[in-house]
Each structure stands twice: as structure tokens, then as C-alpha cells.
Amino acid sequence: MSERFTGSFTQQEQIPEAGIEAAIRVMRHGRLHRYNTVAEEVAETALLEEEFAAYTGAKYCLAVASGGYAIGCALRAIGIGPGDTVLTNAFTLAPVPGAIAAVGGRPVFVETTEDLVIDLDDLAAKLPGAKALLLSHMRGHICDMDRLMALCDAAGVKVIEDCAHTMGAAWRGVPSGRWGVAGCYSTQTYKHMNSGEGGLLVSDDPDLMARATILSGSYMLYGRHHTAPGPDAFEKVKFVTPNVSGRMDNLRAAILRPQLADLPAQCARWNALYKVLEAGLADTPGLKLIPRPAEEAYVASSFQFLLPDWSEGRVRAVIARAANRGVELKWFGHAEPTGFTSRHDSWRYAERQSLPKTDRILSGLIDMRLPLTFSTEDAALIARIIRAEVSAVHQGEAAPVDMVPSAD
């Protein structure tokens, strides 16, 4: 009898007891708004900002309502406005080009390599005329940041990093989010820390962070931020920067602070699952694993592999066969958006662009979540199932009639 996986790909671990207790304390006193404090009290949100700034090595940190808000706030803070060209990865998720469009910018997509990172040769060709690069470390894959920054610095193009999938990751020892002018992180449920929704913005640039703090809805209470620039930076911008309210509240910050303390251990657990899957799928005929450079310290909360140049029917057969055995795979080759998965030609608020290299890669790109509710034994079982079903289709075994859709 064939093995079957019975776990859930969308079930997260519970919030740590310390986070639950901290949240209850906030609910008992009722001061959920970050600026609603009593004498001598430092808000949970301000404490989270201090701790996350220390964790990343940044001078400044701002806690906001979502990772997407953090990106949009950073774009506004560097002056992106109507008609400005902003480069970004062709392989990313909808909130990234959406943030560019929301501030009136013009998203221009850069091709993707088979390593699932931005194509630096295509980037170099598209830098002239661009005002910024919104770099998405999509699904936790980090490109050669030394070369990328050299290209962007030479062109005078500012880099904002989308680190929704790389909290805790680094390139050559430098944390993701610390290469460009700003780093943006998400604490949505499926990310490395879970507050349902939430985001964090870090930077060493005082002018950028003064504008971002006003944008986030600080009114004139920016003095209560412990990781914000000094008053001189605010004097220059406080009357000319709009309030685009997107603050984080103390309840979510209270939930997150214990998770930040646990993050290194959690990252190690994700990577242990990843390595079991990687070993179990090594040398599978027809399947290509994504190489991880020695310079990259990754955090693998998801797993990707390629079925390079496979036909749509054969890819669909693998997805269906795996689903029939309890393994939920997502495919970036779908012509229509499915759940959280979409691709550049789905974002019709951006002009249509020719991206043949990316299209070829996405046509065979398979994606899978790795929640920490899985054990290494689960990961080994999942690898055996994927290996068997890819091998069966690769060898020409008939596909099932009924597709079982993957959950998001």
C-alpha cells in the first residue's frame, strides 16, 4: 500500500506561552494603541522595535500593520511617486508590484534565474532610468548581494529589500534587509514570526525613517519611538509628510516579542526540515533542486524544486498524484492566480512585459510550505511521496483523471 501524508500544510504552531501571557496582560489593561501608555511605561510596540533593531543591527526600526505596508511606506519615504520606474523581480508575490502601483510607480520586472533569484545581467540592462529597485528575496532565495549593490550604487538606484521570506537569513554574514537603504519584513501567519498580520521596517537613514514614522500615523508623538531618529530629522518633514496610518498595535507586538527571542532556534528547525527534503529528493530523475550558495545563510520555511521543460499535463499529473497522497504542492505555472500564487502576467495594473526566461522557469516551478508542525520524519515521508510521483510521471505512468486542488 502506498504511503500517505495526513498532516496539514497550513497549520501553524501555537503562539508561545510567553506571547499568550504578554497578550493577556495587554488585554487586561486595555492599552492596545501604541501611543496609549501610562507614566514611565514603554509600549510593547516600542520594545519590539528596539529588540528587532538590535537583532538586525539596524539603527532604526518601525513596526507597522503588514509587510506590504512596510514596503509601500519605504517607497513613499524615498520619494517614489507617479510615473517613477521601480524595478522588481518577475518572480515574486502580488503585494510587491502592488506596493509600487499603489504609490503611482511603474513596475518594471527583471528576469529570474534557475536559482530563483533576480537575473543580475537583466538588472544591469534595465537600471538606466530606474529610480529604485524593490528586491524581493522571494521564497527565501538570496542573490549575490555584493554584485547587486555594486550595480545599483553605480547607477544611483536605491534598493529596498522585501525580506518577507528571509527574516533571520543573511548573505556573507550581513542580514537580509541590511544591504539596501531599507529592509521590510512581514509577520503574517505564514512567515517566520506570526502575529496574523504585521510588518517591520528597518533602516540606518534618518531622513527616510523620519518620513516613514510620520507616514505610519505617529501624529506628533514620534518622541515615543525609542528607535527613531532625533528631533532634527522630524523637523524637516513633519508638516509635509502625509499620515497614511498603518501602525502596529501593542497586542501584536506582545505576541511577537517572545517569538523574536526564539527565532534562531526556529530557523534551525526549518532548515533541518529543508535538509531532510533536499536529501530525499536528490538525484530524482526529471527533478532539479535549487542550489544554495555557500555565501547564503538561508531560512527555509518553504521548499521549491523545478520540473524543467515539462509539459503542462505532466506537471499537473505530479501535483494531482501528490495531492491524492496528502502532499499539497503549488505551481507557479498556472494561467490563473490560485490562492496566494500568481505571476507577472496576472498583475494587469502593470504594463505587459516580455519575460521569456522567467516564464520558462515558472512553467516548471513547484512550491511547498514547511510549517514547523512537521517533524523530520514527516519531511522524509513527503520526500518519498514526491520522489515516487515525479518518477512515475517522468517514466510515463498515466496521470489520474481528477485533479485534487492544493490548499493555500
Side-chain angles (χ1 to χ4, degrees):
M1 181 178 293
S2 296
E3 295 179 296
R4 193 173 197 284
F5 182 65
T6 58
S8 171
F9 283 78
T10 56
Q11 180 58 51
Q12 309 306 307
E13 289 193 303
Q14 72 173 39
I15 299 300
E17 285 301 319
I20 294 171
E21 291 168 6
I24 290 171
R25 286 195 298 272
V26 171
M27 288 189 286
R28 287 195 195 284
H29 63 58
R31 295 186 294 278
L32 275 67
H33 195 283
R34 70 167 296 159
Y35 301 120
N36 179 205
T37 56
V38 295
E40 307 303 319
E41 180 185 17
V42 179
E44 289 284 336
T45 310
L47 291 171
L48 173 65
E49 290 167 343
E50 286 184 340
E51 292 160 2
F52 196 75
Y55 177 79
T56 59
K59 287 184 180 179
Y60 312 118
C61 177
L62 178 67
V64 293
S66 71
Y69 182 91
I71 293 171
C73 189
L75 288 168
R76 284 188 173 96
I78 65 168
I80 299 299
D84 289 334
T85 295
V86 180
L87 306 177
T88 194
N89 309 54
F91 173 46
T92 187
L93 292 179
V96 175
I100 299 169
V103 300
R106 173 177 170 257
V108 172
F109 300 115
V110 181
E111 291 272 30
T112 303
T113 74
E114 285 196 350
D115 295 346
L116 304 188
V117 296
I118 195 166
D119 185 319
L120 295 179
D121 292 332
D122 193 42
L123 173 66
K126 291 175 176 175
L127 281 169
K131 191 166 182 179
L133 166 66
L134 176 50
L135 174 65
S136 178
H137 299 304
M138 178 62 171
R139 288 298 194 253
H141 298 276
I142 302 177
C143 72
D144 181 343
M145 292 302 297
D146 296 282
R147 184 181 171 204
L148 180 139
M149 291 306 303
L151 288 170
C152 291
D153 287 346
V157 171
K158 292 183 178 180
V159 177
I160 294 171
E161 295 176 69
D162 163 32
C163 306
H165 301 162
T166 54
M167 185 184 289
W171 180 266
R172 279 200 313 104
V174 177
S176 71
R178 301 294 294 119
W179 289 84
V181 69
C184 305
Y185 308 79
S186 171
T187 62
Q188 184 248 34
T189 287
Y190 297 118
K191 304 304 189 295
H192 297 133
M193 299 196 301
N194 173 16
S195 60
E197 293 288 355
L200 295 153
L201 171 62
V202 301
S203 180
D204 289 348
D205 185 320
D207 294 329
L208 183 157
M209 286 303 285
R211 287 190 291 270
T213 303
I214 298 292
L215 282 162
S216 74
S218 69
Y219 298 90
M220 295 300 127
L221 301 173
Y222 46 78
R224 299 189 190 180
H225 288 250
H226 288 216
T227 53
D232 289 350
F234 287 96
E235 285 299 319
K236 293 186 287 186
V237 301
K238 66 182 183 181
F239 296 129
V240 295
T241 304
N243 179 326
V244 187
S245 292
R247 297 170 296 269
M248 182 180 285
D249 58 80
N250 286 328
L251 184 59
R252 281 185 285 180
I255 292 170
L256 288 169
R257 290 180 61 212
Q259 294 181 61
L260 179 57
D262 291 343
L263 186 58
Q266 300 291 77
C267 292
R269 291 177 61 202
W270 267 305
N271 287 353
L273 296 174
Y274 185 93
K275 288 170 183 174
V276 169
L277 269 163
E278 191 175 46
L281 291 173
D283 302 318
T284 300
L287 182 151
K288 183 179 187 299
L289 294 173
I290 311 303
R292 309 303 302 229
E295 297 90 344
E296 178 193 32
Y298 58 84
V299 181
S301 58
S302 64
F303 192 90
Q304 293 75 43
F305 61 87
L306 293 171
L307 300 175
D309 300 318
W310 282 40
S311 69
E312 177 179 338
R314 293 169 73 219
V315 173
R316 287 182 178 274
V318 168
I319 295 169
R321 293 172 68 102
N324 286 335
R325 296 179 65 181
V327 174
E328 298 174 359
L329 303 176
K330 294 190 284 294
W331 176 41
F332 276 89
H334 276 296
E336 296 293 328
T338 304
F340 294 109
T341 303
S342 60
R343 64 188 192 190
H344 65 89
D345 53 0
S346 304
W347 308 321
R348 294 173 190 173
Y349 43 80
E351 64 192 66
R352 188 69 178 256
Q353 296 167 44
S354 176
L355 296 156
K357 187 172 182 179
T358 298
D359 290 341
R360 175 179 168 267
I361 292 163
L362 296 185
S363 70
L365 176 57
I366 306 300
D367 178 50
M368 182 177 66
R369 288 200 180 108
L370 282 182
L372 289 180
T373 48
F374 289 2
S375 65
T376 52
E377 291 78 14
D378 291 333
L381 171 58
I382 291 166
R384 291 196 298 272
I385 291 170
I386 294 172
R387 186 182 187 94
E389 300 309 332
V390 168
S391 298
V393 176
H394 184 66
Q395 293 164 12
E397 188 170 325
V401 174
D402 297 319
M403 274 285 294
V404 179
S406 65
D408 285 284

